[in-house]
Amino acid sequence: MRDVAIVGVGMTKWGELWEKALRDIYVETALLAMDDAGVDHIDSMYIGCMSSGLFVGQEHLASQLSDYLGVNPVPATRVESACASGGAALRTGFLDVASGMSDIVLVSGVEKMNDVSGGDATYALGTAADQEYECYNGITFPGLYAMMARAYMERYGMTREQLAHVAVKNHENGSKNPLAQFPMKVTVEQVMNSVMVAEPLRILDCSPITDGAAALILCPLEMAKKMGKHTPVKIAGSGHATGSIAYHGRDDLTTLEAVGRSGEMAYKMAGVGPGDIDAVEVHDCFTIAEILVIEALGLVEKGEGKSAAESGKTALGGPIPVNPSGGLKSKGHPVGATGVAQVVELTKQLWGECGERQVKGAKRVMAQNMGGSGGSSVVHILEVA
Amino acid sequence: MRDVAIVGVGMTKWGELWEKALRDIYVETALLAMDDAGVDHIDSMYIGCMSSGLFVGQEHLASQLSDYLGVNPVPATRVESACASGGAALRTGFLDVASGMSDIVLVSGVEKMNDVSGGDATYALGTAADQEYECYNGITFPGLYAMMARAYMERYGMTREQLAHVAVKNHENGSKNPLAQFPMKVTVEQVMNSVMVAEPLRILDCSPITDGAAALILCPLEMAKKMGKHTPVKIAGSGHATGSIAYHGRDDLTTLEAVGRSGEMAYKMAGVGPGDIDAVEVHDCFTIAEILVIEALGLVEKGEGKSAAESGKTALGGPIPVNPSGGLKSKGHPVGATGVAQVVELTKQLWGECGERQVKGAKRVMAQNMGGSGGSSVVHILEVA
């Protein structure tokens, strides 16, 4: 298996992009990444997208987007794993380069969620859960994560304020990210008094509905070393795991098993452990998710995640910075794009290009991208090569 | 890159499967393939599916299906390229084994098209075209292929009867396939007098709406040689290409450029040409499609595809049998499953397990799977190892 590196990244400001179509935001970020890498062609492309069918009435993005980017006939493939689609697309692109089939591969994530062509966004997002057994019986995504929060509060004595500290930290980081959808700072009081969505989760515990895209250029590490523009970032570990899609199918209601398994695979492949990681981007679709994920990845002990944001442990200057980009919470969460955007952020962290939100001296970083209520998870570990 | 082999296949009868859910038909065929290969575990899985979101209100199949198959936490990935989703899933699974990441990989295709949860099947299938520029302006899929048929008739003098001969041949082959949805034979007169769908295409020129799944087990060729149950079938060539998603974007209205490109890639990788192929399964979603595809693949000269079925050239006992399984026309076309089912058929042909529809002495065969009106195409060449 060939070693694989990231040599270019592209991302634009996320938000409610009413004036742009999915194909527009895709092409913008893809061209930024190609420019950043200094490449004038690609050998293949992968697109992470959760539900362009339900959101904008368009499947077959592989053909549409290779066409609009002007690169057909290159092989193009769309990869879907709900909100982990971006991470899964990166893993698939990684395998393409690792196998020797392709040299220069464009990996993108994209989602247009605001202009829903039929139905509504809640229904579309429900397709990430076991729709027939969960959502058709009345639960929504905030409801699923609210049950996790309640179960965790019950077992580990987490306070409502501790949840709020996750949002406060991520908005603090996001305020330093010019591409974030909601770059305003928030206080614990604002979170605690924001509109209730699904008890105990309030609107400021939830990631938003976002239009956005992000892109990466991969190539063999040996080729990357000769390209010279950026220090190559090696994909040192790639882990991917599945678990019960339905929340009621889990052995333990406060453990995200697929996250733990995907982390173990990535650590093993990279030959490192949780203590060797300098910064992480995790899938904080809700404040409780960040807490459960950092526990599952072994970054904090089980039951200790609740105080990580409150104590400053996961703050930008803390021992293990979590979501320096602002996370899904502040940066936004165009579902299929998130996993790629996490890696855009971390690559820029390794290049020292993050300005005010730079994690000083970051040499090895990790991205964790989750599908649904934890039914799938993808983890990548990146190192300065 | 490691050599990759197919060592097990699974498929059940296709049709209107009202009593079974998508997850049921997926699991049935996956278990058949695992049994056929004699394996008790898999290292990863890929699922080709076009639009489970629009058809059955469920995305995140990777998690749901690994869960219902009882194999989580294995990595699972859904791949989508409209009606070429199955072929794209096979290519992705191939890269996974070729790279050295996984040894035993389950590749499936599945689609449940009859019980549409919202909208209608015509709208869902329109997402394979450029929905905003084509279908929202009134065209349907039969309409797109009808324009191809008209353009081809105009340029090459094809008769309406010649189109009908494609359907007659494929139903003749399908009558020998116990898993086909429509295994009845049809006559030229029946095709010519069947209900008009989009002039000149009539209902018996069109592939049906189908529920169905199909599955394959891949592993490294070296491992396959030691498994002993079946003669390993080597994936000798894999080609994948994109073209203009919209029909109006093509340079030539009677040429499927992406099909030609994907064929060239596969021939080159396998080190063979059109004359070295003993049997093919091609994407005959409409009768005209088979004619254009066999020309694009170089199996007949440009403009000569029109008479290939009529003259018996592509019949079961002819010089180049096309669609021995009955093709999409007779076997059925559950869009995401088709590309995998083509390879199930061809693998069984190489194993000599096809009974009445066996192509005698088949040693090297080819599958061509198309997305939309030709916006993407995947070709695989298989050989007895």
Side-chain angles (χ1 to χ4, degrees):
Chain A
M1 197 185 293
R2 299 198 290 187
D3 282 335
V4 180
I6 298 168
V7 291
V9 304
M11 191 172 149
T12 48
K13 186 166 171 70
W14 286 1
E16 294 186 22
L17 307 177
W18 298 100
E19 76 287 8
K20 291 177 185 174
L22 186 149
R23 59 186 102 191
D24 298 322
I25 57 175
Y26 171 84
V27 167
E28 278 178 2
T29 55
L31 290 176
L32 283 174
M34 290 177 69
D35 280 351
D36 191 39
V39 298
D40 61 3
H41 77 284
I42 57 172
D43 296 323
S44 73
M45 54 185 259
Y46 292 86
I47 303 143
C49 181
M50 174 178 160
S51 195
S52 55
L54 287 165
F55 284 121
V56 297
Q58 182 68 56
E59 311 280 8
H60 210 191
L61 292 184
S63 173
Q64 188 187 56
L65 300 180
S66 76
D67 195 7
Y68 271 73
L69 187 56
V71 297
N72 68 40
V74 302
T77 304
R78 175 201 172 188
V79 172
E80 184 267 318
S81 191
C83 317
S85 298
L90 173 56
R91 181 174 164 91
T92 317
F94 166 82
L95 292 174
D96 193 350
V97 178
S99 74
M101 178 68 87
S102 300
D103 284 335
I104 302 178
V105 173
L106 168 64
V107 172
S108 299
V110 64
E111 207 85 48
K112 194 84 170 78
M113 300 174 73
N114 282 294
D115 33 4
V116 183
S117 61
D120 59 63
T122 297
Y123 175 78
L125 291 169
T127 64
D130 193 327
Q131 185 86 282
E132 290 173 291
Y133 286 86
E134 296 187 295
C135 301
Y136 287 170
N137 288 294
I139 198 78
T140 60
F141 257 89
L144 286 166
Y145 280 92
M147 290 198 288
M148 289 185 216
R150 268 282 151 227
Y152 188 93
M153 284 172 151
E154 196 71 30
R155 186 176 305 176
Y156 296 109
M158 176 177 68
T159 64
R160 190 32 277 208
E161 285 78 0
Q162 288 177 318
L163 272 180
H165 280 284
V166 176
V168 171
K169 168 184 71 69
N170 290 349
H171 276 278
E172 172 68 31
N173 294 350
S175 73
K176 302 177 171 72
N177 185 349
L179 303 183
Q181 178 177 15
F182 289 113
M184 77 286 192
K185 296 182 188 183
V186 300
T187 64
V188 169
E189 292 66 36
Q190 284 173 317
V191 179
M192 301 281 288
N193 293 318
S194 64
V195 172
M196 184 66 78
V197 176
E199 204 280 335
L201 301 179
R202 293 169 181 268
I203 193 78
L204 286 176
D205 290 291
C206 306
S207 60
I209 299 287
T210 311
D211 302 326
L216 302 165
I217 301 289
L218 312 186
C219 73
L221 180 58
E222 289 311 307
M223 180 186 288
K225 286 177 178 168
K226 294 172 199 145
M227 292 173 75
K229 185 164 174 195
H230 290 295
T231 310
V233 165
K234 180 184 168 185
I235 300 178
S238 174
H240 185 186
T242 49
S244 167
I245 186 169
Y247 187 49
H248 58 250
R250 314 277 164 87
D251 288 337
D252 184 324
L253 296 180
T254 62
T255 300
L256 296 171
E257 209 168 319
V259 177
R261 299 283 194 142
S262 58
E264 286 161 18
M265 284 173 71
Y267 288 136
K268 187 177 169 194
M269 184 172 160
V272 301
D276 302 312
I277 306 293
D278 299 324
V280 296
E281 289 278 316
V282 304
H283 198 94
D284 61 320
C285 47
F286 298 92
T287 47
I288 181 64
E290 175 167 314
I291 291 169
L292 297 180
V293 166
I294 61 175
E295 292 186 358
L297 293 174
L299 297 167
V300 297
E301 293 295 313
K302 188 80 195 141
E304 296 303 319
K306 62 181 187 291
S307 56
E310 184 183 31
S311 69
K313 181 167 188 177
T314 50
L316 207 47
I320 177 68
V322 173
N323 284 324
S325 73
L328 287 55
K329 183 66 207 75
S330 166
K331 188 176 54 187
H333 182 29
V335 284
T338 283
V340 176
Q342 291 176 324
V343 175
V344 168
E345 171 73 12
L346 291 170
T347 301
K348 288 167 72 84
Q349 288 284 351
L350 292 178
W351 287 339
E353 292 182 359
C354 288
E356 278 191 275
R357 67 181 193 284
Q358 181 65 43
V359 177
K360 293 203 177 67
K363 298 288 180 211
R364 183 183 294 114
V365 295
M366 178 165 69
Q368 181 276 332
N369 184 206
M370 185 150 65
S373 63
S376 64
S377 176
V378 185
V379 171
H380 284 96
I381 295 175
L382 314 176
E383 294 175 356
V384 174
Chain B
M1 196 186 293
R2 299 198 291 186
D3 283 334
V4 180
I6 299 169
V7 291
V9 304
M11 190 173 150
T12 48
K13 186 168 172 67
W14 285 1
E16 294 186 23
L17 307 177
W18 297 101
E19 77 288 8
K20 291 176 184 174
L22 186 150
R23 60 186 103 193
D24 298 322
I25 58 175
Y26 170 83
V27 168
E28 277 178 3
T29 54
L31 290 177
L32 282 174
M34 290 178 70
D35 279 351
D36 191 41
V39 298
D40 61 3
H41 77 285
I42 56 172
D43 296 323
S44 73
M45 54 186 259
Y46 292 87
I47 303 143
C49 182
M50 173 179 162
S51 194
S52 55
L54 286 165
F55 284 121
V56 298
Q58 181 69 56
E59 311 279 9
H60 211 191
L61 292 184
S63 174
Q64 188 187 57
L65 299 181
S66 76
D67 196 7
Y68 271 73
L69 186 57
V71 297
N72 67 41
V74 302
T77 305
R78 175 202 173 189
V79 172
E80 184 267 318
S81 190
C83 317
S85 298
L90 173 57
R91 182 174 163 92
T92 317
F94 166 82
L95 292 174
D96 192 351
V97 178
S99 74
M101 179 67 89
S102 299
D103 284 334
I104 302 177
V105 172
L106 168 64
V107 173
S108 299
V110 64
E111 206 84 50
K112 194 82 170 78
M113 299 174 74
N114 282 292
D115 34 3
V116 184
S117 62
D120 57 63
T122 297
Y123 175 78
L125 291 169
T127 64
D130 194 327
Q131 185 86 280
E132 290 173 290
Y133 286 86
E134 296 187 295
C135 300
Y136 287 171
N137 289 295
I139 198 78
T140 60
F141 256 89
L144 286 166
Y145 279 93
M147 290 198 290
M148 289 186 216
R150 268 282 151 227
Y152 188 93
M153 284 172 151
E154 195 71 31
R155 185 175 305 177
Y156 297 109
M158 176 177 67
T159 64
R160 191 32 276 205
E161 285 79 0
Q162 287 177 320
L163 272 179
H165 280 285
V166 175
V168 171
K169 168 183 70 71
N170 290 349
H171 275 279
E172 172 68 31
N173 294 350
S175 73
K176 302 177 171 72
N177 185 348
L179 303 183
Q181 180 177 12
F182 288 114
M184 77 287 190
K185 297 182 188 182
V186 299
T187 64
V188 169
E189 291 65 37
Q190 283 174 318
V191 179
M192 301 281 289
N193 293 317
S194 64
V195 171
M196 183 66 78
V197 175
E199 203 283 333
L201 301 179
R202 294 171 180 267
I203 191 79
L204 286 176
D205 290 292
C206 307
S207 60
I209 297 288
T210 311
D211 302 327
L216 301 164
I217 301 291
L218 312 185
C219 74
L221 180 59
E222 289 311 308
M223 180 186 287
K225 287 178 178 168
K226 294 173 198 143
M227 293 173 74
K229 186 166 174 195
H230 290 294
T231 310
V233 165
K234 181 184 169 185
I235 299 177
S238 175
H240 185 186
T242 49
S244 167
I245 186 170
Y247 187 49
H248 58 251
R250 313 277 164 86
D251 288 335
D252 183 325
L253 296 181
T254 61
T255 300
L256 295 171
E257 209 169 320
V259 177
R261 298 284 195 142
S262 60
E264 285 161 18
M265 284 173 71
Y267 289 136
K268 187 177 171 193
M269 183 171 161
V272 301
D276 302 312
I277 305 294
D278 300 323
V280 298
E281 289 278 318
V282 304
H283 199 93
D284 61 320
C285 48
F286 298 92
T287 46
I288 181 64
E290 177 169 313
I291 292 168
L292 297 180
V293 167
I294 61 175
E295 292 185 359
L297 293 174
L299 297 168
V300 296
E301 293 295 312
K302 187 80 193 140
E304 296 304 317
K306 61 181 186 292
S307 56
E310 185 184 29
S311 68
K313 182 168 188 177
T314 51
L316 207 47
I320 177 68
V322 173
N323 284 324
S325 72
L328 286 56
K329 182 67 208 75
S330 165
K331 188 176 56 187
H333 183 30
V335 284
T338 284
V340 175
Q342 291 176 323
V343 174
V344 168
E345 171 72 13
L346 291 170
T347 301
K348 287 166 72 85
Q349 288 284 353
L350 293 178
W351 287 339
E353 292 183 359
C354 287
E356 277 190 277
R357 66 182 194 283
Q358 180 65 43
V359 177
K360 293 203 177 68
K363 299 289 181 208
R364 183 183 294 114
V365 294
M366 179 164 69
Q368 181 275 332
N369 184 205
M370 186 151 64
S373 62
S376 64
S377 176
V378 185
V379 171
H380 284 96
I381 295 174
L382 314 177
E383 294 174 356
V384 174

